[in-house]
PDB file of all heavy atoms in Angstrom:
ATOM      1  N   TYR A   1       8.074 -25.573   8.362  1.00  0.00           N
ATOM      2  CA  TYR A   1       7.828 -25.092   9.683  1.00  0.00           C
ATOM      3  C   TYR A   1       7.762 -23.540   9.715  1.00  0.00           C
ATOM      4  O   TYR A   1       6.954 -22.863  10.346  1.00  0.00           O
ATOM      5  CB  TYR A   1       8.914 -25.666  10.517  1.00  0.00           C
ATOM      6  CG  TYR A   1       8.964 -25.244  12.042  1.00  0.00           C
ATOM      7  CD1 TYR A   1       8.259 -25.946  12.923  1.00  0.00           C
ATOM      8  CD2 TYR A   1       9.594 -24.112  12.480  1.00  0.00           C
ATOM      9  CE1 TYR A   1       8.192 -25.642  14.370  1.00  0.00           C
ATOM     10  CE2 TYR A   1       9.637 -23.779  13.762  1.00  0.00           C
ATOM     11  CZ  TYR A   1       8.963 -24.539  14.710  1.00  0.00           C
ATOM     12  OH  TYR A   1       9.030 -24.223  16.039  1.00  0.00           O
ATOM     13  N   HIS A   2       8.834 -23.009   9.029  1.00  0.00           N
ATOM     14  CA  HIS A   2       8.914 -21.483   9.087  1.00  0.00           C
ATOM     15  C   HIS A   2       7.823 -20.799   8.211  1.00  0.00           C
ATOM     16  O   HIS A   2       7.281 -19.801   8.505  1.00  0.00           O
ATOM     17  CB  HIS A   2      10.305 -21.093   8.557  1.00  0.00           C
ATOM     18  CG  HIS A   2      11.323 -21.449   9.533  1.00  0.00           C
ATOM     19  ND1 HIS A   2      11.656 -20.752  10.670  1.00  0.00           N
ATOM     20  CD2 HIS A   2      12.200 -22.558   9.598  1.00  0.00           C
ATOM     21  CE1 HIS A   2      12.649 -21.289  11.319  1.00  0.00           C
ATOM     22  NE2 HIS A   2      12.955 -22.430  10.769  1.00  0.00           N
ATOM     23  N   THR A   3       7.557 -21.451   7.075  1.00  0.00           N
ATOM     24  CA  THR A   3       6.447 -20.763   6.181  1.00  0.00           C
ATOM     25  C   THR A   3       5.143 -20.851   6.847  1.00  0.00           C
ATOM     26  O   THR A   3       4.289 -19.991   6.729  1.00  0.00           O
ATOM     27  CB  THR A   3       6.405 -21.547   4.792  1.00  0.00           C
ATOM     28  OG1 THR A   3       6.225 -22.890   4.946  1.00  0.00           O
ATOM     29  CG2 THR A   3       7.704 -21.272   3.980  1.00  0.00           C
ATOM     30  N   ALA A   4       4.808 -22.002   7.582  1.00  0.00           N
ATOM     31  CA  ALA A   4       3.541 -22.080   8.307  1.00  0.00           C
ATOM     32  C   ALA A   4       3.471 -20.920   9.309  1.00  0.00           C
ATOM     33  O   ALA A   4       2.464 -20.235   9.477  1.00  0.00           O
ATOM     34  CB  ALA A   4       3.436 -23.331   8.940  1.00  0.00           C
ATOM     35  N   ALA A   5       4.521 -20.679  10.019  1.00  0.00           N
ATOM     36  CA  ALA A   5       4.561 -19.645  11.032  1.00  0.00           C
ATOM     37  C   ALA A   5       4.386 -18.268  10.432  1.00  0.00           C
ATOM     38  O   ALA A   5       3.683 -17.359  10.938  1.00  0.00           O
ATOM     39  CB  ALA A   5       5.904 -19.700  11.890  1.00  0.00           C
ATOM     40  N   LEU A   6       5.150 -18.014   9.400  1.00  0.00           N
ATOM     41  CA  LEU A   6       5.091 -16.717   8.777  1.00  0.00           C
ATOM     42  C   LEU A   6       3.723 -16.341   8.174  1.00  0.00           C
ATOM     43  O   LEU A   6       3.100 -15.309   8.353  1.00  0.00           O
ATOM     44  CB  LEU A   6       6.224 -16.629   7.555  1.00  0.00           C
ATOM     45  CG  LEU A   6       6.265 -15.275   6.866  1.00  0.00           C
ATOM     46  CD1 LEU A   6       6.581 -14.184   7.718  1.00  0.00           C
ATOM     47  CD2 LEU A   6       7.233 -15.344   5.696  1.00  0.00           C
ATOM     48  N   SER A   7       3.168 -17.312   7.427  1.00  0.00           N
ATOM     49  CA  SER A   7       1.835 -17.038   6.818  1.00  0.00           C
ATOM     50  C   SER A   7       0.741 -16.913   7.821  1.00  0.00           C
ATOM     51  O   SER A   7      -0.172 -16.022   7.705  1.00  0.00           O
ATOM     52  CB  SER A   7       1.559 -18.228   5.825  1.00  0.00           C
ATOM     53  OG  SER A   7       1.422 -19.464   6.486  1.00  0.00           O
ATOM     54  N   THR A   8       0.926 -17.697   8.941  1.00  0.00           N
ATOM     55  CA  THR A   8      -0.187 -17.630  10.010  1.00  0.00           C
ATOM     56  C   THR A   8       0.000 -16.250  10.740  1.00  0.00           C
ATOM     57  O   THR A   8      -1.055 -15.591  11.015  1.00  0.00           O
ATOM     58  CB  THR A   8       0.067 -18.807  10.949  1.00  0.00           C
ATOM     59  OG1 THR A   8      -0.161 -19.941  10.308  1.00  0.00           O
ATOM     60  CG2 THR A   8      -1.064 -18.711  11.964  1.00  0.00           C
ATOM     61  N   ASP A   9       1.187 -15.774  10.922  1.00  0.00           N
ATOM     62  CA  ASP A   9       1.307 -14.487  11.540  1.00  0.00           C
ATOM     63  C   ASP A   9       0.823 -13.423  10.686  1.00  0.00           C
ATOM     64  O   ASP A   9       0.063 -12.492  11.167  1.00  0.00           O
ATOM     65  CB  ASP A   9       2.884 -14.237  11.750  1.00  0.00           C
ATOM     66  CG  ASP A   9       3.185 -12.939  12.443  1.00  0.00           C
ATOM     67  OD1 ASP A   9       3.220 -12.817  13.547  1.00  0.00           O
ATOM     68  OD2 ASP A   9       3.402 -11.924  11.591  1.00  0.00           O
ATOM     69  N   ASN A  10       1.014 -13.483   9.318  1.00  0.00           N
ATOM     70  CA  ASN A  10       0.553 -12.436   8.445  1.00  0.00           C
ATOM     71  C   ASN A  10      -0.947 -12.434   8.355  1.00  0.00           C
ATOM     72  O   ASN A  10      -1.607 -11.298   8.435  1.00  0.00           O
ATOM     73  CB  ASN A  10       1.113 -12.595   7.147  1.00  0.00           C
ATOM     74  CG  ASN A  10       2.620 -12.309   7.017  1.00  0.00           C
ATOM     75  OD1 ASN A  10       3.216 -11.585   7.794  1.00  0.00           O
ATOM     76  ND2 ASN A  10       3.267 -12.828   5.971  1.00  0.00           N
ATOM     77  N   LEU A  11      -1.499 -13.526   8.400  1.00  0.00           N
ATOM     78  CA  LEU A  11      -3.027 -13.676   8.362  1.00  0.00           C
ATOM     79  C   LEU A  11      -3.635 -13.167   9.735  1.00  0.00           C
ATOM     80  O   LEU A  11      -4.629 -12.385   9.662  1.00  0.00           O
ATOM     81  CB  LEU A  11      -3.450 -15.131   8.035  1.00  0.00           C
ATOM     82  CG  LEU A  11      -4.974 -15.381   8.107  1.00  0.00           C
ATOM     83  CD1 LEU A  11      -5.765 -14.524   7.084  1.00  0.00           C
ATOM     84  CD2 LEU A  11      -5.281 -16.788   7.996  1.00  0.00           C
ATOM     85  N   ALA A  12      -2.999 -13.581  10.766  1.00  0.00           N
ATOM     86  CA  ALA A  12      -3.593 -13.128  12.059  1.00  0.00           C
ATOM     87  C   ALA A  12      -3.488 -11.614  12.200  1.00  0.00           C
ATOM     88  O   ALA A  12      -4.405 -10.979  12.742  1.00  0.00           O
ATOM     89  CB  ALA A  12      -2.795 -13.806  13.211  1.00  0.00           C
ATOM     90  N   ARG A  13      -2.371 -11.030  11.745  1.00  0.00           N
ATOM     91  CA  ARG A  13      -2.252  -9.577  11.844  1.00  0.00           C
ATOM     92  C   ARG A  13      -3.234  -8.805  11.114  1.00  0.00           C
ATOM     93  O   ARG A  13      -3.885  -7.855  11.537  1.00  0.00           O
ATOM     94  CB  ARG A  13      -0.907  -9.133  11.311  1.00  0.00           C
ATOM     95  CG  ARG A  13      -0.544  -7.619  11.384  1.00  0.00           C
ATOM     96  CD  ARG A  13       0.663  -7.322  10.578  1.00  0.00           C
ATOM     97  NE  ARG A  13       0.512  -7.616   9.190  1.00  0.00           N
ATOM     98  CZ  ARG A  13       1.378  -8.250   8.390  1.00  0.00           C
ATOM     99  NH1 ARG A  13       2.491  -8.683   8.964  1.00  0.00           N
ATOM    100  NH2 ARG A  13       1.141  -8.378   7.066  1.00  0.00           N
ATOM    101  N   GLU A  14      -3.655  -9.400   9.857  1.00  0.00           N
ATOM    102  CA  GLU A  14      -4.586  -8.676   9.017  1.00  0.00           C
ATOM    103  C   GLU A  14      -6.066  -8.971   9.536  1.00  0.00           C
ATOM    104  O   GLU A  14      -6.805  -8.017   9.671  1.00  0.00           O
ATOM    105  CB  GLU A  14      -4.512  -9.115   7.636  1.00  0.00           C
ATOM    106  CG  GLU A  14      -3.112  -8.753   6.969  1.00  0.00           C
ATOM    107  CD  GLU A  14      -3.041  -7.234   6.800  1.00  0.00           C
ATOM    108  OE1 GLU A  14      -4.026  -6.629   6.282  1.00  0.00           O
ATOM    109  OE2 GLU A  14      -2.037  -6.727   7.043  1.00  0.00           O
ATOM    110  N   TYR A  15      -6.349 -10.244   9.706  1.00  0.00           N
ATOM    111  CA  TYR A  15      -7.743 -10.715  10.071  1.00  0.00           C
ATOM    112  C   TYR A  15      -8.199 -10.125  11.346  1.00  0.00           C
ATOM    113  O   TYR A  15      -9.299  -9.673  11.433  1.00  0.00           O
ATOM    114  CB  TYR A  15      -7.874 -12.259  10.117  1.00  0.00           C
ATOM    115  CG  TYR A  15      -9.171 -12.695  10.440  1.00  0.00           C
ATOM    116  CD1 TYR A  15     -10.242 -12.633   9.580  1.00  0.00           C
ATOM    117  CD2 TYR A  15      -9.395 -13.308  11.646  1.00  0.00           C
ATOM    118  CE1 TYR A  15     -11.589 -13.116   9.855  1.00  0.00           C
ATOM    119  CE2 TYR A  15     -10.679 -13.795  11.994  1.00  0.00           C
ATOM    120  CZ  TYR A  15     -11.771 -13.665  11.134  1.00  0.00           C
ATOM    121  OH  TYR A  15     -12.958 -14.071  11.459  1.00  0.00           O
ATOM    122  N   PHE A  16      -7.343 -10.147  12.404  1.00  0.00           N
ATOM    123  CA  PHE A  16      -7.777  -9.725  13.777  1.00  0.00           C
ATOM    124  C   PHE A  16      -7.566  -8.162  13.880  1.00  0.00           C
ATOM    125  O   PHE A  16      -7.823  -7.603  14.955  1.00  0.00           O
ATOM    126  CB  PHE A  16      -7.056 -10.456  14.777  1.00  0.00           C
ATOM    127  CG  PHE A  16      -7.443 -11.844  14.897  1.00  0.00           C
ATOM    128  CD1 PHE A  16      -6.568 -12.878  14.451  1.00  0.00           C
ATOM    129  CD2 PHE A  16      -8.729 -12.251  15.489  1.00  0.00           C
ATOM    130  CE1 PHE A  16      -7.010 -14.233  14.535  1.00  0.00           C
ATOM    131  CE2 PHE A  16      -9.056 -13.602  15.521  1.00  0.00           C
ATOM    132  CZ  PHE A  16      -8.302 -14.640  15.048  1.00  0.00           C
ATOM    133  N   GLY A  17      -7.086  -7.615  12.836  1.00  0.00           N
ATOM    134  CA  GLY A  17      -6.893  -6.058  12.794  1.00  0.00           C
ATOM    135  C   GLY A  17      -7.908  -5.348  12.003  1.00  0.00           C
ATOM    136  O   GLY A  17      -8.971  -5.862  11.870  1.00  0.00           O
ATOM    137  N   ASP A  18      -7.604  -4.186  11.524  1.00  0.00           N
ATOM    138  CA  ASP A  18      -8.654  -3.372  10.749  1.00  0.00           C
ATOM    139  C   ASP A  18      -9.048  -4.074   9.523  1.00  0.00           C
ATOM    140  O   ASP A  18     -10.200  -3.834   8.984  1.00  0.00           O
ATOM    141  CB  ASP A  18      -7.964  -2.040  10.427  1.00  0.00           C
ATOM    142  CG  ASP A  18      -7.811  -1.187  11.767  1.00  0.00           C
ATOM    143  OD1 ASP A  18      -8.389  -1.481  12.780  1.00  0.00           O
ATOM    144  OD2 ASP A  18      -6.939  -0.287  11.670  1.00  0.00           O
ATOM    145  N   GLN A  19      -8.281  -4.869   8.854  1.00  0.00           N
ATOM    146  CA  GLN A  19      -8.639  -5.489   7.580  1.00  0.00           C
ATOM    147  C   GLN A  19      -9.812  -6.503   7.689  1.00  0.00           C
ATOM    148  O   GLN A  19     -10.396  -6.810   6.778  1.00  0.00           O
ATOM    149  CB  GLN A  19      -7.495  -6.017   6.822  1.00  0.00           C
ATOM    150  CG  GLN A  19      -6.396  -4.982   6.479  1.00  0.00           C
ATOM    151  CD  GLN A  19      -6.993  -4.015   5.583  1.00  0.00           C
ATOM    152  OE1 GLN A  19      -7.475  -4.366   4.420  1.00  0.00           O
ATOM    153  NE2 GLN A  19      -6.911  -2.685   5.944  1.00  0.00           N
ATOM    154  N   ALA A  20      -9.780  -7.196   8.858  1.00  0.00           N
ATOM    155  CA  ALA A  20     -10.873  -8.151   9.104  1.00  0.00           C
ATOM    156  C   ALA A  20     -10.974  -9.288   8.033  1.00  0.00           C
ATOM    157  O   ALA A  20      -9.907  -9.709   7.588  1.00  0.00           O
ATOM    158  CB  ALA A  20     -12.146  -7.442   9.441  1.00  0.00           C
ATOM    159  N   MET A  21     -12.195  -9.350   7.456  1.00  0.00           N
ATOM    160  CA  MET A  21     -12.306 -10.347   6.462  1.00  0.00           C
ATOM    161  C   MET A  21     -11.508 -10.150   5.158  1.00  0.00           C
ATOM    162  O   MET A  21     -11.114 -11.009   4.435  1.00  0.00           O
ATOM    163  CB  MET A  21     -13.885 -10.508   6.118  1.00  0.00           C
ATOM    164  CG  MET A  21     -14.139 -11.822   5.225  1.00  0.00           C
ATOM    165  SD  MET A  21     -13.540 -13.323   6.078  1.00  0.00           S
ATOM    166  CE  MET A  21     -13.632 -14.489   4.831  1.00  0.00           C
ATOM    167  N   LEU A  22     -11.298  -8.844   4.925  1.00  0.00           N
ATOM    168  CA  LEU A  22     -10.623  -8.578   3.734  1.00  0.00           C
ATOM    169  C   LEU A  22      -9.072  -9.021   3.828  1.00  0.00           C
ATOM    170  O   LEU A  22      -8.462  -9.362   2.802  1.00  0.00           O
ATOM    171  CB  LEU A  22     -10.564  -6.980   3.466  1.00  0.00           C
ATOM    172  CG  LEU A  22      -9.766  -6.481   2.295  1.00  0.00           C
ATOM    173  CD1 LEU A  22     -10.402  -7.103   0.979  1.00  0.00           C
ATOM    174  CD2 LEU A  22      -9.786  -4.958   2.248  1.00  0.00           C
ATOM    175  N   GLY A  23      -8.655  -9.164   4.988  1.00  0.00           N
ATOM    176  CA  GLY A  23      -7.296  -9.645   5.265  1.00  0.00           C
ATOM    177  C   GLY A  23      -7.092 -11.062   4.787  1.00  0.00           C
ATOM    178  O   GLY A  23      -6.056 -11.550   4.328  1.00  0.00           O
ATOM    179  N   TYR A  24      -8.221 -11.859   4.906  1.00  0.00           N
ATOM    180  CA  TYR A  24      -8.230 -13.264   4.359  1.00  0.00           C
ATOM    181  C   TYR A  24      -8.492 -13.174   2.911  1.00  0.00           C
ATOM    182  O   TYR A  24      -7.715 -13.839   2.000  1.00  0.00           O
ATOM    183  CB  TYR A  24      -9.210 -14.111   5.040  1.00  0.00           C
ATOM    184  CG  TYR A  24      -9.496 -15.500   4.395  1.00  0.00           C
ATOM    185  CD1 TYR A  24      -8.470 -16.503   4.628  1.00  0.00           C
ATOM    186  CD2 TYR A  24     -10.448 -15.676   3.489  1.00  0.00           C
ATOM    187  CE1 TYR A  24      -8.603 -17.672   4.031  1.00  0.00           C
ATOM    188  CE2 TYR A  24     -10.587 -16.903   2.871  1.00  0.00           C
ATOM    189  CZ  TYR A  24      -9.749 -17.927   3.084  1.00  0.00           C
ATOM    190  OH  TYR A  24      -9.754 -19.129   2.439  1.00  0.00           O
ATOM    191  N   VAL A  25      -9.469 -12.498   2.363  1.00  0.00           N
ATOM    192  CA  VAL A  25      -9.866 -12.547   1.091  1.00  0.00           C
ATOM    193  C   VAL A  25      -8.800 -11.967   0.150  1.00  0.00           C
ATOM    194  O   VAL A  25      -8.393 -12.615  -0.893  1.00  0.00           O
ATOM    195  CB  VAL A  25     -11.213 -11.656   0.829  1.00  0.00           C
ATOM    196  CG1 VAL A  25     -11.508 -11.603  -0.653  1.00  0.00           C
ATOM    197  CG2 VAL A  25     -12.306 -12.479   1.543  1.00  0.00           C
ATOM    198  N   LYS A  26      -8.150 -10.822   0.422  1.00  0.00           N
ATOM    199  CA  LYS A  26      -7.231 -10.222  -0.366  1.00  0.00           C
ATOM    200  C   LYS A  26      -5.921 -10.964  -0.485  1.00  0.00           C
ATOM    201  O   LYS A  26      -5.264 -11.045  -1.481  1.00  0.00           O
ATOM    202  CB  LYS A  26      -6.944  -8.744   0.145  1.00  0.00           C
ATOM    203  CG  LYS A  26      -5.975  -8.015  -0.796  1.00  0.00           C
ATOM    204  CD  LYS A  26      -5.843  -6.617  -0.176  1.00  0.00           C
ATOM    205  CE  LYS A  26      -4.745  -5.854  -1.012  1.00  0.00           C
ATOM    206  NZ  LYS A  26      -4.608  -4.403  -0.498  1.00  0.00           N
ATOM    207  N   ASN A  27      -5.489 -11.411   0.772  1.00  0.00           N
ATOM    208  CA  ASN A  27      -4.120 -12.063   0.876  1.00  0.00           C
ATOM    209  C   ASN A  27      -4.084 -13.569   0.737  1.00  0.00           C
ATOM    210  O   ASN A  27      -2.984 -14.116   0.562  1.00  0.00           O
ATOM    211  CB  ASN A  27      -3.489 -11.590   2.173  1.00  0.00           C
ATOM    212  CG  ASN A  27      -3.256 -10.120   2.230  1.00  0.00           C
ATOM    213  OD1 ASN A  27      -2.776  -9.510   1.399  1.00  0.00           O
ATOM    214  ND2 ASN A  27      -3.663  -9.541   3.395  1.00  0.00           N
ATOM    215  N   VAL A  28      -5.239 -14.193   0.907  1.00  0.00           N
ATOM    216  CA  VAL A  28      -5.332 -15.644   0.745  1.00  0.00           C
ATOM    217  C   VAL A  28      -6.154 -16.070  -0.452  1.00  0.00           C
ATOM    218  O   VAL A  28      -5.572 -16.472  -1.533  1.00  0.00           O
ATOM    219  CB  VAL A  28      -5.779 -16.261   2.044  1.00  0.00           C
ATOM    220  CG1 VAL A  28      -5.759 -17.830   1.900  1.00  0.00           C
ATOM    221  CG2 VAL A  28      -4.885 -15.868   3.235  1.00  0.00           C
ATOM    222  N   GLN A  29      -7.495 -15.889  -0.290  1.00  0.00           N
ATOM    223  CA  GLN A  29      -8.298 -16.474  -1.373  1.00  0.00           C
ATOM    224  C   GLN A  29      -8.053 -15.862  -2.729  1.00  0.00           C
ATOM    225  O   GLN A  29      -8.038 -16.620  -3.741  1.00  0.00           O
ATOM    226  CB  GLN A  29      -9.829 -16.389  -0.953  1.00  0.00           C
ATOM    227  CG  GLN A  29     -10.704 -17.112  -1.887  1.00  0.00           C
ATOM    228  CD  GLN A  29     -12.136 -17.046  -1.429  1.00  0.00           C
ATOM    229  OE1 GLN A  29     -12.856 -15.977  -1.781  1.00  0.00           O
ATOM    230  NE2 GLN A  29     -12.667 -18.038  -0.814  1.00  0.00           N
ATOM    231  N   ARG A  30      -8.014 -14.646  -2.835  1.00  0.00           N
ATOM    232  CA  ARG A  30      -7.791 -13.862  -4.088  1.00  0.00           C
ATOM    233  C   ARG A  30      -6.528 -14.379  -4.810  1.00  0.00           C
ATOM    234  O   ARG A  30      -6.389 -14.592  -5.914  1.00  0.00           O
ATOM    235  CB  ARG A  30      -7.848 -12.402  -3.869  1.00  0.00           C
ATOM    236  CG  ARG A  30      -8.023 -11.642  -5.219  1.00  0.00           C
ATOM    237  CD  ARG A  30      -8.039 -10.037  -4.866  1.00  0.00           C
ATOM    238  NE  ARG A  30      -9.282  -9.772  -4.142  1.00  0.00           N
ATOM    239  CZ  ARG A  30      -9.527  -8.571  -3.571  1.00  0.00           C
ATOM    240  NH1 ARG A  30      -8.656  -7.697  -3.656  1.00  0.00           N
ATOM    241  NH2 ARG A  30     -10.668  -8.412  -2.853  1.00  0.00           N
ATOM    242  N   GLU A  31      -5.487 -14.509  -3.816  1.00  0.00           N
ATOM    243  CA  GLU A  31      -4.177 -14.932  -4.457  1.00  0.00           C
ATOM    244  C   GLU A  31      -4.294 -16.455  -4.843  1.00  0.00           C
ATOM    245  O   GLU A  31      -3.619 -16.851  -5.853  1.00  0.00           O
ATOM    246  CB  GLU A  31      -3.071 -14.719  -3.482  1.00  0.00           C
ATOM    247  CG  GLU A  31      -2.718 -13.195  -3.296  1.00  0.00           C
ATOM    248  CD  GLU A  31      -2.419 -12.616  -4.449  1.00  0.00           C
ATOM    249  OE1 GLU A  31      -1.433 -13.108  -5.257  1.00  0.00           O
ATOM    250  OE2 GLU A  31      -2.866 -11.502  -4.915  1.00  0.00           O
ATOM    251  N   GLU A  32      -4.947 -17.267  -4.096  1.00  0.00           N
ATOM    252  CA  GLU A  32      -5.167 -18.741  -4.520  1.00  0.00           C
ATOM    253  C   GLU A  32      -5.790 -18.773  -5.937  1.00  0.00           C
ATOM    254  O   GLU A  32      -5.397 -19.404  -6.755  1.00  0.00           O
ATOM    255  CB  GLU A  32      -6.080 -19.308  -3.475  1.00  0.00           C
ATOM    256  CG  GLU A  32      -5.484 -19.726  -2.218  1.00  0.00           C
ATOM    257  CD  GLU A  32      -6.444 -20.516  -1.304  1.00  0.00           C
ATOM    258  OE1 GLU A  32      -7.475 -20.033  -1.068  1.00  0.00           O
ATOM    259  OE2 GLU A  32      -6.071 -21.650  -0.966  1.00  0.00           O
ATOM    260  N   ILE A  33      -6.929 -17.899  -6.116  1.00  0.00           N
ATOM    261  CA  ILE A  33      -7.488 -17.954  -7.413  1.00  0.00           C
ATOM    262  C   ILE A  33      -6.600 -17.411  -8.559  1.00  0.00           C
ATOM    263  O   ILE A  33      -6.578 -18.108  -9.547  1.00  0.00           O
ATOM    264  CB  ILE A  33      -8.834 -17.032  -7.381  1.00  0.00           C
ATOM    265  CG1 ILE A  33      -9.805 -17.605  -6.341  1.00  0.00           C
ATOM    266  CG2 ILE A  33      -9.458 -16.857  -8.699  1.00  0.00           C
ATOM    267  CD1 ILE A  33     -11.041 -16.638  -6.050  1.00  0.00           C
ATOM    268  N   ARG A  34      -6.027 -16.376  -8.347  1.00  0.00           N
ATOM    269  CA  ARG A  34      -5.171 -15.762  -9.372  1.00  0.00           C
ATOM    270  C   ARG A  34      -3.924 -16.518  -9.706  1.00  0.00           C
ATOM    271  O   ARG A  34      -3.397 -16.459 -10.783  1.00  0.00           O
ATOM    272  CB  ARG A  34      -4.858 -14.213  -9.035  1.00  0.00           C
ATOM    273  CG  ARG A  34      -6.180 -13.489  -9.086  1.00  0.00           C
ATOM    274  CD  ARG A  34      -6.025 -12.073  -8.690  1.00  0.00           C
ATOM    275  NE  ARG A  34      -7.177 -11.205  -8.887  1.00  0.00           N
ATOM    276  CZ  ARG A  34      -7.413  -9.980  -8.518  1.00  0.00           C
ATOM    277  NH1 ARG A  34      -6.410  -9.360  -7.874  1.00  0.00           N
ATOM    278  NH2 ARG A  34      -8.507  -9.461  -8.707  1.00  0.00           N
ATOM    279  N   GLN A  35      -3.430 -17.262  -8.673  1.00  0.00           N
ATOM    280  CA  GLN A  35      -2.158 -18.044  -8.882  1.00  0.00           C
ATOM    281  C   GLN A  35      -2.487 -19.496  -9.234  1.00  0.00           C
ATOM    282  O   GLN A  35      -1.497 -20.259  -9.418  1.00  0.00           O
ATOM    283  CB  GLN A  35      -1.308 -17.921  -7.598  1.00  0.00           C
ATOM    284  CG  GLN A  35      -0.740 -16.570  -7.319  1.00  0.00           C
ATOM    285  CD  GLN A  35       0.173 -16.669  -6.179  1.00  0.00           C
ATOM    286  OE1 GLN A  35       0.979 -17.533  -5.938  1.00  0.00           O
ATOM    287  NE2 GLN A  35       0.144 -15.633  -5.157  1.00  0.00           N
ATOM    288  N   GLY A  36      -3.777 -19.756  -9.379  1.00  0.00           N
ATOM    289  CA  GLY A  36      -4.103 -21.109  -9.641  1.00  0.00           C
ATOM    290  C   GLY A  36      -3.733 -22.149  -8.737  1.00  0.00           C
ATOM    291  O   GLY A  36      -3.266 -23.269  -9.031  1.00  0.00           O
ATOM    292  N   ILE A  37      -3.866 -21.811  -7.387  1.00  0.00           N
ATOM    293  CA  ILE A  37      -3.697 -22.743  -6.393  1.00  0.00           C
ATOM    294  C   ILE A  37      -4.801 -23.766  -6.333  1.00  0.00           C
ATOM    295  O   ILE A  37      -5.910 -23.436  -6.045  1.00  0.00           O
ATOM    296  CB  ILE A  37      -3.418 -22.101  -5.025  1.00  0.00           C
ATOM    297  CG1 ILE A  37      -2.373 -21.009  -5.141  1.00  0.00           C
ATOM    298  CG2 ILE A  37      -3.113 -23.106  -3.889  1.00  0.00           C
ATOM    299  CD1 ILE A  37      -0.963 -21.582  -5.443  1.00  0.00           C
ATOM    300  N   ALA A  38      -4.570 -25.026  -6.457  1.00  0.00           N
ATOM    301  CA  ALA A  38      -5.564 -26.009  -6.570  1.00  0.00           C
ATOM    302  C   ALA A  38      -6.396 -26.198  -5.360  1.00  0.00           C
ATOM    303  O   ALA A  38      -7.577 -26.449  -5.360  1.00  0.00           O
ATOM    304  CB  ALA A  38      -5.054 -27.334  -6.923  1.00  0.00           C
ATOM    305  N   CYS A  39      -5.783 -25.818  -4.196  1.00  0.00           N
ATOM    306  CA  CYS A  39      -6.410 -25.956  -2.948  1.00  0.00           C
ATOM    307  C   CYS A  39      -7.615 -24.921  -2.691  1.00  0.00           C
ATOM    308  O   CYS A  39      -8.366 -25.054  -1.782  1.00  0.00           O
ATOM    309  CB  CYS A  39      -5.453 -25.812  -1.782  1.00  0.00           C
ATOM    310  SG  CYS A  39      -5.920 -26.590  -0.242  1.00  0.00           S
ATOM    311  N   VAL A  40      -7.796 -23.923  -3.612  1.00  0.00           N
ATOM    312  CA  VAL A  40      -8.821 -23.036  -3.436  1.00  0.00           C
ATOM    313  C   VAL A  40     -10.180 -23.821  -3.503  1.00  0.00           C
ATOM    314  O   VAL A  40     -11.130 -23.452  -2.841  1.00  0.00           O
ATOM    315  CB  VAL A  40      -8.784 -21.906  -4.485  1.00  0.00           C
ATOM    316  CG1 VAL A  40      -9.067 -22.444  -5.898  1.00  0.00           C
ATOM    317  CG2 VAL A  40      -9.766 -20.718  -4.176  1.00  0.00           C
ATOM    318  N   LYS A  41     -10.156 -24.906  -4.283  1.00  0.00           N
ATOM    319  CA  LYS A  41     -11.306 -25.733  -4.228  1.00  0.00           C
ATOM    320  C   LYS A  41     -11.087 -26.934  -3.205  1.00  0.00           C
ATOM    321  O   LYS A  41     -10.790 -28.024  -3.539  1.00  0.00           O
ATOM    322  CB  LYS A  41     -11.505 -26.418  -5.645  1.00  0.00           C
ATOM    323  CG  LYS A  41     -11.850 -25.408  -6.776  1.00  0.00           C
ATOM    324  CD  LYS A  41     -12.077 -26.147  -8.085  1.00  0.00           C
ATOM    325  CE  LYS A  41     -12.321 -25.157  -9.249  1.00  0.00           C
ATOM    326  NZ  LYS A  41     -12.614 -25.842 -10.436  1.00  0.00           N
TER     327      LYS A  41
END
């Protein structure tokens, strides 16, 4: 419950702010790839 709230808050701050799409790519997708998170596919 808490991790969903925290991660969503962090993404919203970046994506709707100056980082825009980079906020998603850098903090979510790039980390999924590099950490081997299966859900990237």
Side-chain angles (χ1 to χ4, degrees):
Y1 177 89
H2 292 280
T3 54
L6 179 62
S7 61
T8 302
D9 179 89
N10 290 340
L11 175 60
R13 182 190 65 226
E14 297 290 315
Y15 177 73
F16 293 103
D18 292 340
Q19 294 300 301
M21 192 58 196
L22 182 60
Y24 172 78
V25 172
K26 182 179 179 180
N27 298 314
V28 181
Q29 189 181 79
R30 193 176 296 168
E31 289 304 309
E32 283 183 302
I33 294 169
R34 291 178 176 173
Q35 294 183 40
I37 305 299
C39 202
V40 71
K41 297 182 180 180

